[in-house]
Amino acid sequence: MHAFTATRSSDLLSLSGATFSIPRVHLSFPKKLFFCQAKFAESGNDGSFSLRVVPPNLLAAEKEEARAVLTLFLKKQGLRNAVAARTINKSEHFIDHLVSRLHSIHKSWYLVGRELTTLEIRDALIPYLETLLEEFGDILVDVVETFPDPPVKETSIEKVANAPVEERPIVPVSAPNTTLNSKKIKALDRVSKAGPAGQLPPHIIYLMELGMELELIKEVTRKFPAFAYYSLEGKIKPVVEFLLDLGVQKSEISTILTKRPQLCGISLSENLIPTMTFLENLGVDKKQWATVIYRFPALLTYSRQKLKATVDFLYEVGLAADNVGKILTRCPNIVSYSVEDNLRPTAEYFDSIGVDVAALLYRSPQTFGLSIEANLKPVTQFFLEKGYDIGNVANMVSRYGSLYTFSLSGNLVPKWEFFQTMGYPKSELVKFPQYFGYSLEKRIKPRHAILRESGVRLLLNQVLSLSDGEFDKINEGNISHSL
């Protein structure tokens, strides 16, 4: 095993480099520019996802996760702990909105009882918070605290401008960030304004035919204004047709372009295809390109130096070439993790508790995107406090690599509490840590209730891992045998 020398860790993946200055006056701006309002209407009685289908305990845990993500994000932008805490305390409606957004993004998962991991929650919310930061700049704190209303206070731009000089409050230099800058306004006008014939621009019509609604195109444009200026024949269409030829479904194009609109601005012959060839030489399965790009379209926009740095690290920890290729294919977003800030410190941490780092990276690469302080150490401490030793914890994560990706409050704690009522020794969880990957309400509780009623005793892995048919057969067989 190679030695890991770096000791730094980060709480979140790279966030915007902007910092907050707390304004001494809150500027008012027209409600028509408060684009959050359109984004916030995501659940209701129109057939969209309802919070009522989520168990109350899970909903409460997700609020805590959303609160933690928002806290870390605000602190990353320069807010002191006390200021961030005050903002969070005033932001219950915005926290509810973040949870609603999670349910909207992962609607199909919730409907089948799939619970989100801490990493999945963070990955869903951070890009959205970054978009809001870019859009609202210095007044993001006010946007969060006053949601769903625009952050308007008694001191408007007009009042500030007309007040005597000696009475004027200090306005931050970044005041223009209170509205969309002129570049974004022009870009939005370009994608939404009909021409002389009453039709939208050809590239917008083409995108809408692919399934992108106009509001979604506008949202992408707000994040990346250059998207509005890509030509249909020279940029957008060639990339779309290339993706379709790779096997990407037409219904998936909208998702890919929403995640990474920059793809349309990259030359096929000079960048995209050479990058794909480079990645294939590193082991990416060329037959899986459609799946890889859908999962993480940004992969094709990273520099070769960045890609090579990640691959070199994977070799460094002892992974074989074919396994490196499989990781890049299954979890392409691993290249977004900083080697020095994420991968190496995380490898060092797991190595220190006796885990085979190469094996864990192969089984659960997404674990290496988690924060050591905010995610990994608390989970380790949780199991130590329950009476397991560090060797037990190492065995558990070695057997079930995703163990650390679960939320403490939303997953591990409630499932541990129920496990204590099931009558199994603690050692069962060392043998079968996959227990924490099953839905408490949809799988664990119902099956335990069936066995308790029938008086049948099964191993924990039999209770949960068997298919419904196999479970029923074994249960009925044991009942007949006891008779």
Side-chain angles (χ1 to χ4, degrees), residues 131 204 226 238 300:
T131 299
I204 302 304
L300 299 182

Side-chain angles (χ1 to χ4, degrees), residues 206 231-243 268:
Y206 179 76
S231 68
L232 175 59
E233 298 298 331
K235 296 283 189 180
I236 297 176
K237 195 171 183 179
V239 170
V240 169
E241 291 180 346
F242 177 72
L243 294 175
L268 276 173

